Amino acid sequence: MKKLFVCAVLAAVLAAVPAFAKKTYVNGIDPNYPPFAYVDEKTGQPAGFDVDSMTWIAKHMGFEVTHKPLAWDGIIPALLAKQIDMVDSGMSITPERAKMVQFSNPYWTVSRVFLVPADSKLTPKDILTQKVKLGVQRGTSEANAIKKEQEEKGYAFELRFYDSAPLAVEDLLNGRIQAALMDELPADDAIAHGRAVKKAGTHGVPDEFGVAMRKDDKELHKLVNEGYKKLMADPYWKELQKKYLNK
Ligand code: ARG
Protein backbone atom coordinates (compact mmCIF):
# COMPACT_ATOMS: atom_id res chain seq x y z
CA MET A 1 0.00 0.00 0.00
CA LYS A 2 2.75 2.38 1.06
CA LYS A 3 4.74 1.44 -2.00
CA LEU A 4 1.77 2.24 -4.22
CA PHE A 5 1.41 5.63 -2.61
CA VAL A 6 5.08 6.44 -3.15
CA CYS A 7 4.78 5.39 -6.77
CA ALA A 8 1.74 7.61 -7.29
CA VAL A 9 3.45 10.60 -5.71
CA LEU A 10 6.55 10.00 -7.77
CA ALA A 11 4.52 9.80 -10.98
CA ALA A 12 2.71 13.02 -10.13
CA VAL A 13 5.96 14.81 -9.39
CA LEU A 14 7.60 13.57 -12.58
CA ALA A 15 4.63 14.66 -14.68
CA ALA A 16 4.83 18.12 -13.15
CA VAL A 17 8.52 18.51 -13.95
CA PRO A 18 8.84 19.85 -17.49
CA ALA A 19 11.72 17.54 -18.37
CA PHE A 20 9.54 14.49 -17.72
CA ALA A 21 6.18 15.78 -18.94
CA LYS A 22 5.38 15.16 -22.58
CA LYS A 23 5.84 18.23 -24.70
CA THR A 24 2.78 19.52 -26.53
CA TYR A 25 3.15 20.88 -30.03
CA VAL A 26 0.42 22.73 -31.91
CA ASN A 27 -0.17 21.86 -35.55
CA GLY A 28 -1.84 24.63 -37.54
CA ILE A 29 -4.28 23.33 -40.14
CA ASP A 30 -6.49 24.68 -42.88
CA PRO A 31 -9.99 23.60 -41.73
CA ASN A 32 -11.07 23.41 -45.35
CA TYR A 33 -8.61 21.30 -47.28
CA PRO A 34 -10.07 17.81 -47.55
CA PRO A 35 -8.79 15.15 -47.71
CA PHE A 36 -5.53 16.42 -46.13
CA ALA A 37 -6.97 18.52 -43.34
CA TYR A 38 -10.47 19.62 -42.42
CA VAL A 39 -12.89 19.93 -39.55
CA ASP A 40 -15.30 17.01 -39.63
CA GLU A 41 -18.86 18.30 -39.93
CA LYS A 42 -20.37 15.59 -37.76
CA THR A 43 -17.85 15.48 -34.93
CA GLY A 44 -16.54 19.06 -35.10
CA GLN A 45 -13.06 17.55 -34.78
CA PRO A 46 -10.00 18.10 -37.01
CA ALA A 47 -9.54 15.18 -39.40
CA GLY A 48 -7.76 14.22 -42.61
CA PHE A 49 -4.69 12.43 -43.92
CA ASP A 50 -2.22 14.93 -42.44
CA VAL A 51 -4.07 15.30 -39.14
CA ASP A 52 -4.16 11.53 -38.56
CA SER A 53 -0.54 11.18 -39.70
CA MET A 54 0.69 13.72 -37.15
CA THR A 55 -1.48 12.30 -34.39
CA TRP A 56 0.12 8.88 -35.02
CA ILE A 57 3.62 10.37 -35.15
CA ALA A 58 3.12 12.20 -31.85
CA LYS A 59 1.95 9.01 -30.19
CA HIS A 60 4.92 7.00 -31.45
CA MET A 61 7.56 9.71 -30.95
CA GLY A 62 6.49 10.58 -27.40
CA PHE A 63 4.94 14.03 -27.69
CA GLU A 64 1.43 15.46 -27.59
CA VAL A 65 -0.11 17.26 -30.53
CA THR A 66 -3.20 19.42 -30.91
CA HIS A 67 -4.55 20.58 -34.27
CA LYS A 68 -5.55 24.22 -34.53
CA PRO A 69 -7.69 25.42 -37.47
CA LEU A 70 -6.46 28.75 -38.89
CA ALA A 71 -6.88 30.83 -42.04
CA TRP A 72 -4.47 29.42 -44.62
CA ASP A 73 -3.41 32.85 -45.74
CA GLY A 74 -2.01 33.73 -42.31
CA ILE A 75 -0.67 30.34 -41.31
CA ILE A 76 3.07 31.04 -41.80
CA PRO A 77 2.87 34.34 -39.88
CA ALA A 78 1.11 32.40 -37.08
CA LEU A 79 3.96 29.85 -37.10
CA LEU A 80 6.62 32.56 -36.90
CA ALA A 81 4.69 34.29 -34.09
CA LYS A 82 4.68 30.97 -32.16
CA GLN A 83 0.90 30.65 -32.09
CA ILE A 84 1.53 27.23 -33.61
CA ASP A 85 4.64 25.03 -33.88
CA MET A 86 4.16 23.35 -37.23
CA VAL A 87 1.97 23.20 -40.31
CA ASP A 88 1.14 19.66 -41.42
CA SER A 89 -1.74 20.49 -43.74
CA GLY A 90 -1.08 19.92 -47.44
CA MET A 91 1.62 22.57 -47.60
CA SER A 92 3.83 22.56 -50.69
CA ILE A 93 7.54 22.95 -50.23
CA THR A 94 8.45 26.14 -52.12
CA PRO A 95 11.66 28.21 -52.28
CA GLU A 96 9.76 31.32 -51.07
CA ARG A 97 8.45 29.56 -47.98
CA ALA A 98 11.82 27.90 -47.32
CA LYS A 99 13.30 31.36 -46.78
CA MET A 100 11.05 31.78 -43.74
CA VAL A 101 10.56 28.27 -42.38
CA GLN A 102 12.24 24.86 -42.45
CA PHE A 103 10.48 21.90 -44.03
CA SER A 104 10.49 18.23 -43.13
CA ASN A 105 11.38 15.72 -45.84
CA PRO A 106 8.58 15.52 -48.43
CA TYR A 107 5.87 13.02 -47.51
CA TRP A 108 3.52 13.29 -50.50
CA THR A 109 3.48 14.45 -54.13
CA VAL A 110 0.46 15.89 -55.92
CA SER A 111 -0.24 17.26 -59.37
CA ARG A 112 -1.95 20.58 -59.90
CA VAL A 113 -5.10 20.42 -61.99
CA PHE A 114 -7.61 22.68 -63.63
CA LEU A 115 -11.12 21.96 -62.42
CA VAL A 116 -14.09 22.95 -64.61
CA PRO A 117 -17.86 22.37 -64.55
CA ALA A 118 -18.78 18.84 -65.70
CA ASP A 119 -20.28 20.13 -68.96
CA SER A 120 -17.40 22.51 -69.80
CA LYS A 121 -15.42 22.17 -73.03
CA LEU A 122 -12.45 24.25 -71.81
CA THR A 123 -8.99 22.70 -72.20
CA PRO A 124 -5.98 23.79 -70.12
CA LYS A 125 -4.77 25.74 -73.15
CA ASP A 126 -8.13 27.56 -73.47
CA ILE A 127 -8.06 28.43 -69.79
CA LEU A 128 -4.62 29.97 -70.08
CA THR A 129 -5.19 31.86 -73.29
CA GLN A 130 -8.85 32.94 -73.20
CA LYS A 131 -10.50 35.57 -71.06
CA VAL A 132 -11.86 33.09 -68.50
CA LYS A 133 -12.29 33.77 -64.80
CA LEU A 134 -9.90 31.44 -62.99
CA GLY A 135 -10.26 30.72 -59.26
CA VAL A 136 -7.35 29.96 -56.91
CA GLN A 137 -6.96 29.69 -53.17
CA ARG A 138 -5.35 32.73 -51.62
CA GLY A 139 -1.83 32.20 -50.28
CA THR A 140 -1.21 28.92 -52.08
CA SER A 141 1.78 27.81 -54.11
CA GLU A 142 -0.45 27.43 -57.17
CA ALA A 143 -1.84 30.98 -56.81
CA ASN A 144 1.67 32.42 -56.70
CA ALA A 145 2.92 30.27 -59.56
CA ILE A 146 0.06 31.10 -61.90
CA LYS A 147 0.26 34.82 -61.11
CA LYS A 148 3.95 34.79 -61.97
CA GLU A 149 3.30 32.83 -65.16
CA GLN A 150 0.65 35.31 -66.20
CA GLU A 151 2.99 38.23 -65.69
CA GLU A 152 5.68 36.53 -67.76
CA LYS A 153 3.47 35.29 -70.58
CA GLY A 154 0.70 37.87 -70.64
CA TYR A 155 -2.13 35.33 -70.29
CA ALA A 156 -5.66 36.74 -70.64
CA PHE A 157 -7.45 35.00 -67.74
CA GLU A 158 -8.74 36.96 -64.77
CA LEU A 159 -7.73 35.57 -61.39
CA ARG A 160 -10.28 35.29 -58.58
CA PHE A 161 -9.08 34.58 -55.06
CA TYR A 162 -10.81 32.34 -52.50
CA ASP A 163 -10.20 31.48 -48.86
CA SER A 164 -10.59 27.77 -49.55
CA ALA A 165 -10.72 25.27 -52.41
CA PRO A 166 -14.37 24.27 -51.68
CA LEU A 167 -15.43 27.94 -52.00
CA ALA A 168 -13.85 28.04 -55.46
CA VAL A 169 -15.78 24.87 -56.36
CA GLU A 170 -19.03 26.57 -55.28
CA ASP A 171 -18.36 29.48 -57.62
CA LEU A 172 -17.54 27.06 -60.47
CA LEU A 173 -20.95 25.51 -59.99
CA ASN A 174 -22.85 28.80 -59.87
CA GLY A 175 -21.00 30.12 -62.92
CA ARG A 176 -19.09 32.97 -61.30
CA ILE A 177 -15.81 31.45 -62.52
CA GLN A 178 -15.16 29.08 -65.43
CA ALA A 179 -12.15 27.20 -64.06
CA ALA A 180 -10.17 26.70 -60.84
CA LEU A 181 -6.57 25.66 -60.26
CA MET A 182 -5.81 23.46 -57.24
CA ASP A 183 -4.01 20.36 -56.01
CA GLU A 184 -5.39 17.17 -57.51
CA LEU A 185 -6.64 15.61 -54.29
CA PRO A 186 -9.00 18.39 -53.18
CA ALA A 187 -10.27 18.34 -56.79
CA ASP A 188 -10.85 14.58 -56.56
CA ASP A 189 -12.53 15.13 -53.23
CA ALA A 190 -15.07 17.52 -54.80
CA ILE A 191 -15.76 14.98 -57.57
CA ALA A 192 -16.05 12.13 -55.07
CA HIS A 193 -18.63 14.17 -53.15
CA GLY A 194 -20.78 14.40 -56.23
CA ARG A 195 -20.04 18.00 -57.20
CA ALA A 196 -20.74 18.46 -60.94
CA VAL A 197 -17.13 19.23 -61.84
CA LYS A 198 -14.33 17.46 -63.70
CA LYS A 199 -10.60 17.77 -64.23
CA ALA A 200 -9.67 19.51 -67.49
CA GLY A 201 -6.01 18.51 -67.17
CA THR A 202 -2.88 19.04 -65.13
CA HIS A 203 -0.79 22.17 -65.05
CA GLY A 204 2.87 22.80 -64.16
CA VAL A 205 5.12 20.54 -62.16
CA PRO A 206 3.81 18.42 -59.27
CA ASP A 207 4.05 19.84 -55.74
CA GLU A 208 5.74 18.08 -52.86
CA PHE A 209 4.13 18.40 -49.45
CA GLY A 210 6.22 18.84 -46.30
CA VAL A 211 5.68 19.90 -42.70
CA ALA A 212 6.70 23.51 -42.02
CA MET A 213 8.40 24.43 -38.74
CA ARG A 214 10.36 27.38 -37.36
CA LYS A 215 13.98 27.33 -38.48
CA ASP A 216 15.39 27.23 -34.95
CA ASP A 217 13.20 24.31 -33.86
CA LYS A 218 15.76 21.55 -34.43
CA GLU A 219 14.21 19.22 -31.87
CA LEU A 220 10.80 19.13 -33.52
CA HIS A 221 12.35 18.87 -36.98
CA LYS A 222 14.10 15.69 -35.92
CA LEU A 223 10.96 14.24 -34.29
CA VAL A 224 8.87 14.94 -37.40
CA ASN A 225 11.36 13.48 -39.88
CA GLU A 226 11.94 10.39 -37.76
CA GLY A 227 8.22 10.11 -37.11
CA TYR A 228 7.34 10.12 -40.81
CA LYS A 229 10.03 7.54 -41.49
CA LYS A 230 8.50 5.30 -38.84
CA LEU A 231 4.96 5.93 -40.09
CA MET A 232 5.86 5.17 -43.71
CA ALA A 233 7.29 1.82 -42.62
CA ASP A 234 4.12 0.97 -40.69
CA PRO A 235 0.97 -0.65 -42.17
CA TYR A 236 -0.99 2.36 -40.84
CA TRP A 237 0.49 4.50 -43.67
CA LYS A 238 -1.30 2.35 -46.25
CA GLU A 239 -4.46 2.39 -44.17
CA LEU A 240 -4.44 6.18 -44.12
CA GLN A 241 -4.01 6.31 -47.90
CA LYS A 242 -6.94 3.97 -48.32
CA LYS A 243 -9.11 5.92 -45.93
CA TYR A 244 -8.43 9.41 -47.27
CA LEU A 245 -6.79 9.23 -50.68
CA ASN A 246 -8.50 6.27 -52.38
CA LYS A 247 -5.12 4.60 -52.95
N1 ARG B 1 -0.34 23.08 -52.20
C1 ARG B 1 -0.79 24.42 -52.07
C2 ARG B 1 0.07 25.20 -51.10
O1 ARG B 1 0.88 24.68 -50.44
C3 ARG B 1 -2.19 24.44 -51.62
C4 ARG B 1 -2.28 24.18 -50.22
C5 ARG B 1 -3.51 24.44 -49.66
N2 ARG B 1 -3.47 23.63 -48.50
C6 ARG B 1 -4.19 23.91 -47.54
N3 ARG B 1 -4.13 23.21 -46.47
N4 ARG B 1 -4.96 24.94 -47.69
O2 ARG B 1 -0.05 26.37 -51.02
Side-chain angles (χ1 to χ4, degrees):
M1 191 62 208
K2 204 166 162 199
K3 223 174 179 176
L4 212 66
F5 177 72
V6 171
C7 279
V9 169
L10 202 64
V13 168
L14 289 185
V17 177
F20 294 101
K22 273 194 193 170
K23 209 160 171 168
T24 298
Y25 290 103
V26 183
N27 176 33
I29 60 157
D30 184 333
N32 251 314
Y33 213 66
F36 289 101
Y38 56 95
V39 174
D40 190 285
E41 268 176 28
K42 282 183 219 123
T43 63
Q45 293 301 313
F49 185 70
D50 289 341
V51 167
D52 286 7
S53 293
M54 191 46 69
T55 299
W56 188 97
I57 288 170
K59 193 169 145 209
H60 290 81
M61 297 303 293
F63 61 93
E64 303 276 348
V65 70
T66 59
H67 304 279
K68 184 175 178 174
L70 284 171
W72 186 248
D73 201 21
I75 213 155
I76 287 188
L79 176 62
L80 298 177
K82 301 194 173 178
Q83 288 163 24
I84 53 175
D85 303 300
M86 62 175 126
V87 181
D88 189 351
S89 178
M91 181 174 272
S92 306
I93 300 173
T94 68
E96 298 83 27
R97 287 176 177 151
K99 283 184 196 147
M100 297 179 279
V101 299
Q102 65 175 338
F103 280 101
S104 68
N105 296 326
Y107 62 84
W108 201 254
T109 307
V110 285
S111 304
R112 286 183 202 158
V113 298
F114 284 120
L115 200 65
V116 294
D119 57 1
S120 171
K121 301 227 157 42
L122 290 173
T123 65
K125 187 155 171 244
D126 297 336
I127 295 165
L128 292 171
T129 54
Q130 297 180 6
K131 222 171 147 6
V132 298
K133 293 193 180 86
L134 175 62
V136 286
Q137 185 183 357
R138 212 172 259 126
T140 58
S141 52
E142 54 272 16
N144 292 340
I146 197 87
K147 226 162 70 189
K148 209 157 127 205
E149 239 186 293
Q150 182 172 43
E151 281 159 17
E152 284 165 13
K153 306 204 174 138
Y155 290 141
F157 57 75
E158 261 178 61
L159 280 182
R160 288 279 190 280
F161 293 89
Y162 293 90
D163 284 334
S164 74
L167 287 175
V169 172
E170 285 318 306
D171 265 10
L172 264 185
L173 293 171
N174 64 34
R176 268 198 273 261
I177 55 175
Q178 287 79 51
L181 181 65
M182 63 183 71
D183 293 327
E184 184 161 31
L185 282 155
D188 286 343
D189 195 76
I191 295 166
H193 283 87
R195 318 302 284 163
V197 289
K198 66 177 181 192
K199 294 184 266 184
T202 57
H203 182 64
V205 288
D207 274 19
E208 286 197 312
F209 286 170
V211 182
M213 291 155 278
R214 282 184 296 280
K215 287 200 176 194
D216 57 5
D217 206 343
K218 303 269 184 302
E219 189 184 334
L220 181 60
H221 193 251
K222 202 164 154 228
L223 287 171
V224 168
N225 272 338
E226 279 177 16
Y228 263 103
K229 208 165 141 199
K230 212 173 198 177
L231 171 58
M232 286 173 180
D234 193 279
Y236 187 61
W237 184 238
K238 271 264 161 271
E239 251 174 66
L240 280 179
Q241 290 172 41
K242 220 157 130 194
K243 177 169 177 193
Y244 288 110
L245 310 176
N246 283 320
K247 301 272 173 203

